[in-house]
Amino acid sequence: MLSCARQAVKHLIRPAAVPVAASMSSLAGMEKVAMSRFEAEEFVNDRYRAMEGRLAIVRKRLNRPLTLAEKVVYGHLDDPEGQELQRGVSYLKLRPDRVAMQDATAQMAMLQFISSGLPKTMVPSTIHCDHLIEGTTSPQPDRANSFGGEADLSHAKAQNAEVYAFLASAGAKYGVGFWKPGSGIIHQIVLENYAFPGGMMIGTDSHTPNAGGLGMCAVGVGGADAVDVMAGLPWELKAPKVIGVRLTGKMSKWTSPKDVILKVAGILTVKGGTGAIVEYFGDGVDNMSCTGMATICNMGAEIGATTSMFPYNKCGAAREHAAAAGCQIAVHHCSLAALLQLLCG
């Protein structure tokens, strides 16, 4: 048992890698599962099938075990046969599964996509209106001397009406999901509706790695990268190094998952994670909630990490069961058996 936050990070080492003998048969005959309740024509099964094929090639080339982060990243290679694979050196061309944009950066991204002349985005994409809402904690003259959530939302709708109208209409025309102002924070919406284990997503926000709490490789990018992926072009990323954080035991009642990332940040400093994926593993992982793991991944941006990831486990499953009480979710257990064989060995 770990008695305090200082002990929560037991080791800072390379994560254990376990070879997996995945085959196409792991997906054969399985029920088709939509990527989300909003994208009935896009299936998780197809993504896993493509990953299996790519990883079979990569394993043969490298002839060594792969970490979870490597499996997810290399499982999205555009050219697994010809791609140079050297951590921290090679520039990978990848095929992300989806794109998420916040309202401040989505404006130019959508204008650039429109100029491509394509009738629809090539990957599932969403726009989330949350960044243009300015929060207040005291009476404001431009809000009739009011403040707080309702006043801030009303003010944002009035001030940014033209922006919201453009994003909503552009999204409707080009098949991009639109989450109107007041629907929630982009990262929580993604975690509850779009994240799935083993997937790869890019988002125009530095805290996109929040989705790593559900086993997704989610990376914050600029608007130009988002446009490339929406237009069907591969996304370029310098092959990330892997920093493993082994968690053991349980945290005491006086600590929270945030204390874990604060301890990691104290060790690595604000730039110690640059160019690397921080991968958490060990039995301590099973004692955190899905949202707790997401919080750790979210704050990984503060150490400069490319992204952070946790393995999919019973805590992620519990989150999905809870979400299923209100709506259909992207990942169903009929596909998870294939995923666990493919990624977790």
Side-chain angles (χ1 to χ4, degrees), residues 107-130:
Q107 300 170 53
M108 184 56 68
M110 288 306 299
L111 284 170
Q112 290 179 323
F113 176 77
I114 291 170
S115 69
S116 73
L118 294 171
K120 183 181 179 181
T121 58
M122 303 301 289
V123 301
S125 304
T126 51
I127 296 169
H128 305 263
C129 297
D130 64 347

Side-chain angles (χ1 to χ4, degrees), residues 51-71:
M51 288 180 67
E52 281 189 322
R54 292 164 179 152
L55 285 175
I57 296 170
V58 171
R59 287 193 180 96
K60 186 175 181 180
R61 287 183 55 194
L62 296 181
N63 192 32
R64 65 169 175 80
L66 303 175
T67 69
L68 171 63
E70 287 180 314
K71 292 170 187 174

Side-chain angles (χ1 to χ4, degrees), residues 75-115:
H76 288 84
L77 287 172
D78 180 53
D79 178 17
E81 293 182 335
Q83 174 70 64
E84 180 186 14
L85 300 173
Q86 187 175 352
R87 288 183 185 177
V89 176
S90 307
Y91 280 88
L92 310 178
K93 291 187 180 296
L94 303 166
R95 292 288 182 179
D97 298 306
R98 68 177 313 110
V99 173
M101 299 172 283
Q102 42 96 338
D103 46 0
T105 51
Q107 300 170 53
M108 184 56 68
M110 288 306 299
L111 284 170
Q112 290 179 323
F113 176 77
I114 291 170
S115 69

